[in-house]
Amino acid sequence: VVPYARHRVKGLAPVACVASAPRELRASVVRAYAGLAHLVNHVHLPVQSGSDRIRRLMKRGHTAAEYVDKIRRLRAVRPDVCLSSDFIIGFPGETDADFEQTMKLIDDVGFDGSYSFVYSPRPGTPAADFANPFPAPVAQARLARLQSRLDDQFTANSPRLIRTTETCLIKGKSTQSALARAAAPSAPGPPPHSCSGSPLGRCLRPDRLYYCVFAGSARGAAAAAGRLSHDWSRGALVAA
């Protein structure tokens, strides 16, 4: 993740950990989360599917039990760590039982953020030649159910941010709406927003760190741009 000696560097900015596969969340990385305060309180760890059979078809070298064990070890040293993941729904050959295993893994782990999609073939990959045995509407229905379950988890986890101060990284204007989006490294769930046309939105700068104080709720306090004030001398974004 980062050499242990770097935690002694004064003014070192928060460092994020993004693992492309669960095998990269090694014991040394878990120890780093126990001892390095500047590692942001978020890990993105793709699982793709809760079915061991489907993951074997995907050429993924881990089981659901191994994934859950890695999360257990990480939460043992960072109990409040936020976790996000990737999910692919409707992979060729996915059965109802395979999908239910994915839903069970979501319930067992509990996530704060996700990227989830219906499978689409990529030219040049072995799976591109697989037959897809079920129609797109079935895959879309499964995806909607999975995303609804994840949204319920996000909503349940958000209140823990109330009356806390988080370090937020402003990434830029959302490509999905007219809102200026801010992504909180310590909380990848519902991110704070502000209107891009407001004085606050015009003052926010991409790739800058700000302090954000959540009041009322993690989503509502930061989303209500009219109730936001800022103190640029301290680089603070405060929800009043």
Side-chain angles (χ1 to χ4, degrees):
V1 178
V2 61
Y4 270 63
R6 289 191 64 189
H7 80 281
R8 301 186 182 92
V9 178
K10 185 177 181 181
L12 182 64
V15 176
C17 174
V18 179
S20 60
R23 66 177 178 272
E24 296 178 357
L25 192 65
R26 303 178 180 90
S28 59
V29 178
V30 173
R31 289 196 299 271
Y33 270 91
L36 301 180
H38 66 264
L39 286 178
V40 298
N41 211 29
H42 168 225
V43 172
H44 184 77
L45 196 66
V47 66
Q48 309 299 353
S49 172
S51 165
D52 290 345
R53 187 181 71 86
I54 292 296
R55 275 195 305 278
R56 283 195 297 270
L57 292 174
M58 292 178 173
K59 308 298 183 183
R60 304 286 174 173
H62 64 279
T63 66
E66 290 169 342
Y67 184 91
V68 172
D69 183 64
K70 287 179 179 291
I71 299 306
R72 179 186 61 80
R73 293 174 184 271
L74 179 63
R75 284 175 169 162
V77 299
R78 283 277 187 102
D80 59 344
V81 67
C82 292
L83 181 70
S84 58
S85 191
D86 297 342
F87 297 93
I88 297 176
I89 303 304
F91 191 83
E94 181 186 82
T95 64
D96 288 343
D98 293 322
F99 177 69
E100 291 303 328
Q101 290 173 24
T102 298
M103 297 298 290
K104 181 179 185 303
L105 184 140
I106 290 172
D107 289 340
D108 289 346
V109 173
F111 292 92
D112 297 277
S114 75
Y115 297 91
S116 52
F117 310 91
V118 167
Y119 167 80
S120 59
R122 294 186 179 182
T125 63
D129 298 327
F130 291 175
N132 199 334
F134 53 83
V138 176
Q140 291 291 347
R142 290 179 179 177
L143 179 66
R145 182 181 163 199
L146 176 138
Q147 291 179 337
S148 177
R149 184 74 56 83
L150 289 166
D151 284 344
D152 289 344
Q153 292 186 348
F154 306 160
T155 301
N157 289 337
S158 293
R160 70 187 184 196
L161 291 177
I162 295 174
R163 290 183 291 277
T164 66
T165 301
E166 305 292 335
T167 302
C168 300
L169 175 63
I170 302 299
K171 296 297 294 181
K173 292 183 179 180
S174 171
T175 59
Q176 300 174 347
S177 69
L179 295 175
R181 192 160 199 157
S186 60
H193 293 75
S194 64
C195 293
S196 57
S198 69
L200 176 63
R202 290 193 296 269
C203 290
L204 296 177
R205 296 292 180 263
D207 299 319
R208 291 279 301 275
L209 289 169
Y210 299 90
Y211 294 114
C212 183
V213 180
F214 292 95
S217 71
R219 185 190 300 269
R227 290 165 36 218
L228 291 173
S229 62
H230 56 276
D231 179 355
W232 302 112
S233 64
R234 294 187 297 114
L237 172 62
V238 181

